[in-house]
Amino acid sequence: VLVRGYIQRDAQGQPLRISGTSMDLTEHKRIEQMKNEFVSTVSHELRTPLTSISGALGLINGGALGEVPPAMQQMLEIAYRNSQRLGHLINDLLDMEKIAAGKMSFDMHEHSLRQLLEEALASNQAFAAQLGVNCVLREAVDVQVWVDASRLQQVLGNFLSNAIKYTPEGGEVSLHCSVPDATHVRISVTDQGPGIAAEFRARVFEKFAQADASDSRQKGGTGLGLAITKEFIERMGGKVGFDTAEGQGTTFWCELPILETCASTPEPGRGHL
Ligand code: ADP
């Protein structure tokens, strides 16, 4: 039951009247649970056939059946790209549902952060090259962190793919890693995109939030990535944030607890894609 109370006071601040409301949330919670279960069932049912479609398209697209006419190749690429996109959406929906149901588990181990950052850069190499964006690891203090490596890769992949998507062709996305205090490490991804409008900033980490509704069509997003990111980082004992200025790019960052520092910095430009 949700209870709210109000005290009305006179000009001298003396209480005049107390009023209150109470709301039974049982029905609301039941509907919310049914909605989550429905999304989860539909997403699971969609995932299996989509995996076969994506796999078959990937094989044909990769030339497994030999040369195809150029016009058909172009259609295949579109079909393959969109099947991948649908796959991401389904995985994001399943993650959101697991988070809401408290069923998201984390496989925590000790890892070298530098190695995880290099892997994240390498995984985004093809996407950056496709959009003509240069991705660089600018600075990386190597520390040991206690994380679920695949969830952290998902977070870094989300920061990097957003940064790449919003940076104009020929621009640069840089990955930094610094130690703001003795107990935490900060990983930041800086882009040369349009920045985030002041009126959208408070909603950036909300589910399905997109500054521009046409982004989902033009840039292929779902508005779920940053909501999932925030949840993952907080569950691993850290926090997320961003700094932005309209027209001057954005830096998304996350901070995680450090296990051990093995100070070393790569030469400038190391990790160029
Ligand atoms: P999406 O799948 O739409 O990228 P996200 O949750 O990752 O979903 O991002 C939510 C929204 O935040 C995006 O649609 C975009 O409006 C804004 N956003 C995220 N990253 C950036 C960025 N680097 N520069 C500008 N806007 C961004």
Side-chain angles (χ1 to χ4, degrees):
V1 176
L2 179 69
V3 180
R4 281 207 186 99
Y6 311 91
I7 302 178
Q8 201 179 342
R9 296 174 188 276
D10 63 16
Q12 283 73 46
Q14 295 302 313
L16 272 182
R17 191 178 298 140
I18 298 178
S19 54
T21 56
S22 73
M23 203 191 315
D24 183 356
L25 292 179
T26 320
E27 184 61 7
H28 176 79
K29 284 206 165 142
R30 200 179 63 83
I31 293 171
E32 188 65 24
Q33 196 180 342
M34 275 171 64
K35 194 188 77 189
N36 287 341
E37 279 167 13
F38 173 76
V39 170
S40 167
T41 310
V42 172
S43 306
H44 270 118
E45 292 302 319
L46 288 174
R47 192 157 67 166
T48 314
L50 184 65
T51 308
S52 324
I53 297 171
S54 244
L57 286 171
L59 281 175
I60 307 171
N61 195 30
L65 301 183
E67 286 273 308
V68 290
M72 195 189 283
Q73 180 69 36
Q74 208 183 345
M75 291 292 164
L76 271 172
E77 275 164 23
I78 294 172
Y80 180 58
R81 206 168 48 241
N82 281 290
S83 69
Q84 297 280 81
R85 192 173 142 192
L86 202 50
H88 284 138
L89 170 62
I90 291 172
N91 287 337
D92 281 356
L93 284 171
L94 285 169
D95 279 350
M96 283 309 306
E97 193 279 327
K98 272 198 211 149
I99 290 168
K103 288 192 226 143
M104 176 66 72
S105 60
F106 286 76
D107 187 15
M108 305 288 279
H109 289 282
E110 183 176 344
H111 292 275
S112 145
L113 185 59
R114 165 95 63 86
Q115 203 176 325
L116 295 178
L117 297 185
E118 284 172 357
E119 280 169 25
L121 272 178
S123 312
N124 282 275
Q125 182 171 17
F127 185 49
Q130 198 187 328
L131 298 190
V133 172
N134 189 29
C135 264
V136 202
L137 180 58
R138 277 276 169 233
E139 181 195 333
V141 180
D142 197 15
V143 290
Q144 296 299 112
V145 285
W146 184 251
V147 291
D148 179 322
S150 73
R151 306 256 187 255
L152 184 61
Q153 286 301 352
Q154 214 173 316
V155 165
L156 297 176
N158 185 42
F159 280 171
L160 283 167
S161 63
N162 278 343
I164 293 166
K165 268 194 297 196
Y166 289 98
T167 294
E169 194 175 351
E172 185 180 281
V173 165
S174 54
L175 186 56
H176 304 249
C177 166
S178 58
V179 181
D181 61 58
T183 54
H184 287 87
V185 61
R186 177 181 281 218
I187 308 163
S188 336
V189 175
T190 301
D191 66 46
Q192 294 177 337
I196 296 176
E199 60 275 16
F200 181 64
R201 287 177 199 159
R203 294 198 298 120
V204 164
F205 289 105
E206 281 176 15
K207 296 195 265 193
F208 298 111
Q210 291 188 309
D212 177 352
S214 66
D215 275 4
S216 57
R217 282 189 304 279
Q218 283 178 8
K219 304 208 183 280
T222 60
L224 285 173
L226 289 173
I228 294 172
T229 287
K230 181 171 187 293
E231 192 69 31
F232 281 3
I233 292 294
E234 287 176 357
R235 290 284 303 275
M236 291 193 280
K239 60 180 183 180
V240 288
F242 63 90
D243 304 302
T244 188
E246 268 181 83
Q248 288 170 45
T250 304
T251 296
F252 271 94
W253 54 261
C254 61
E255 281 183 12
L256 288 166
I258 298 176
L259 281 180
E260 186 186 315
T261 310
C262 6
S264 63
T265 312
E267 311 79 56
R270 188 192 150 96
H272 263 276
L273 292 179

